[in-house]
Amino acid sequence: MFGFRHMFHDHLHEPFVADYKCYSVSMMAGQERQNLEKGGKIILPTSALEQLTQRNIQYPMLFRLSNVKANRQTHCGVLEFVAEEGRAYLPYWMMNNLLLEEGSVVHIENVSLSVASFAKFQPQSEDFLDITNPKAVLENALRGFACLTKGDMIAISYNDKIYELRVLETKPNDAISIIECDMNVDFAAPVGYKDPSERKTRDHYTDEEEPMAVDASEYIDSSKFRAFGGQGNRLDGKTKPMQNAPEVIEPHDIKRGIPNYNYRKGKITFIRTTRQANDNASGKEAADGKNSFVAFSGEGFALRKKTNKK
């Protein structure tokens, strides 16, 4: 009798350990359970519940899932015990974390985790920044999770779109329980995100830049160039004598446009030049007291000349 009690006592304190063939939730027979893909809980067979109730376990039930071959592990809760014997149904994102395929063997062990106090997430896409209140969205999505593991890549759904977030940090341990807890949440910059202040743009040219080098030989040939140097033909057949030697035009006589060193990308500037008034002429006219402009001072003409009557 004493030996039976001793064996029963040891059985109560043994952890729950089992190996199952894992499948994604979409492979589960019966009614579709799309909500399972949005959380972090699994479905186990009825025999697992019977073994768990015979042991002295801590509630809520939390489990460590391991892929022994790939040396990967994560933690989760359980939603129902309605799976077929020898099978366990996992969310697809959880199978990706464990590098498991349909029908692969997963090692499941009952564990006890510390209550969460802090977690930091990193979105895997810049689209996550379009969400108005990301903390509220994440808090609502984490209601379907029982625990978090550092390094996991979880998936949440919002407005018919899936967002992936990597768990960068968890406190007080690398695996924490988030059931009925007061947890602080922080976000890291999304993957590929660049701060606009760090993007260097060149808006204008500085005065210290070197002037543009101009080679006169590229736009003029001083030995061949001659304005209107062609030969014309007259209707009467006569030819007009032409100069044999073309007029030489030095390159420095050609005036090129001045570059706009204040140019800014995306802005068009129209440069207008104004003629300066002749100060000497205006000053002389003012000294003489004469005005160059007199209204209606021109000479008039009549269409019919007047004739003197005799």
Side-chain angles (χ1 to χ4, degrees):
M1 185 69 178
F2 177 78
F4 176 76
R5 290 181 179 180
H6 182 72
M7 293 175 57
F8 183 75
H9 180 76
D10 293 342
H11 180 71
L12 291 176
H13 291 81
E14 289 180 358
F16 170 80
V17 179
D19 292 336
Y20 297 99
K21 289 185 178 180
C22 66
Y23 296 90
S24 59
V25 177
S26 59
M27 301 292 291
M28 187 175 180
Q31 188 178 2
E32 295 184 0
R33 301 171 180 266
Q34 296 181 356
N35 59 329
L36 294 178
E37 291 288 354
K38 302 178 182 179
K41 297 181 180 180
I42 64 175
I43 295 180
L44 295 175
T46 308
S47 59
L49 178 61
E50 296 176 355
Q51 297 181 38
L52 288 167
T53 54
Q54 296 176 4
R55 288 169 171 80
N56 186 15
I57 62 173
Q58 184 178 355
Y59 291 89
M61 297 180 184
L62 301 178
F63 301 91
R64 180 189 296 116
L65 279 63
S66 305
N67 182 357
V68 180
K69 294 182 179 179
N71 195 21
R72 301 291 292 269
Q73 65 178 16
T74 186
H75 298 78
C76 67
V78 60
L79 183 64
E80 295 179 358
F81 295 90
V82 294
E84 298 88 343
E85 288 299 326
R87 289 192 175 191
Y89 293 95
L90 283 64
Y92 187 71
W93 65 264
M94 191 178 296
M95 294 183 63
N96 288 337
N97 285 337
L98 296 174
L99 303 180
L100 293 172
E101 299 179 355
E102 301 288 346
S104 299
V105 177
V106 59
H107 182 77
I108 300 179
E109 180 181 356
N110 175 246
V111 293
S112 177
L113 301 178
S114 303
V115 179
S117 60
F118 174 79
K120 187 174 183 179
F121 301 87
Q122 182 185 30
Q124 300 301 297
S125 173
E126 295 183 16
D127 296 339
F128 190 76
L129 299 177
D130 298 334
I131 301 177
T132 305
N133 192 347
K135 285 190 176 182
V137 173
L138 180 62
E139 180 181 356
N140 184 58
L142 289 180
R143 294 177 181 177
F145 290 75
C147 48
L148 294 174
T149 306
K150 181 180 178 180
D152 273 1
M153 182 83 71
I154 66 173
I156 64 174
S157 176
Y158 179 71
N159 282 349
D160 297 331
K161 191 173 183 179
I162 302 299
Y163 297 92
E164 292 185 338
L165 295 91
R166 183 173 294 281
V167 183
L168 294 181
E169 185 180 356
T170 57
K171 292 182 180 179
N173 299 318
D174 291 344
I176 54 177
S177 171
I178 61 173
I179 299 177
E180 297 181 358
C181 68
D182 186 10
M183 180 179 64
N184 295 323
V185 175
D186 192 13
F187 293 97
V191 176
Y193 174 77
K194 295 182 180 179
D195 191 353
S197 61
E198 297 179 358
R199 299 176 182 175
K200 298 180 180 179
T201 57
R202 186 176 183 180
D203 297 335
H204 60 277
Y205 293 94
T206 60
D207 297 337
E208 298 179 355
E209 292 181 349
E210 297 182 358
M212 180 178 61
V214 178
D215 187 3
S217 61
E218 295 181 358
Y219 61 88
I220 184 172
D221 189 348
S222 58
S223 62
K224 298 181 179 180
F225 177 77
R226 181 185 178 189
F228 305 104
Q231 183 178 2
N233 297 323
R234 295 176 50 148
L235 296 177
D236 55 5
K238 296 181 180 181
T239 60
K240 181 181 178 181
M242 300 181 61
Q243 298 178 357
N244 295 329
E247 183 181 358
V248 178
I249 301 178
E250 297 298 334
H252 58 78
D253 294 336
I254 298 179
K255 297 182 179 179
R256 291 174 58 88
I258 301 175
N260 181 14
Y261 293 100
N262 295 325
Y263 168 76
R264 293 186 178 182
K265 186 177 180 180
K267 182 178 180 181
I268 301 177
T269 304
F270 296 94
I271 301 177
R272 297 180 175 87
T273 58
T274 57
R275 296 181 180 178
Q276 297 180 355
N278 191 348
D279 297 338
N280 296 331
S282 60
K284 184 177 180 181
E285 291 177 358
D288 297 341
K290 298 180 180 180
N291 191 355
S292 60
F293 175 76
V294 178
F296 305 104
S297 60
E299 184 179 357
F301 297 91
L303 297 177
R304 184 175 60 180
K305 295 182 179 180
K306 294 182 181 181
T307 55
N308 295 330
K309 296 181 180 180
K310 294 181 179 180

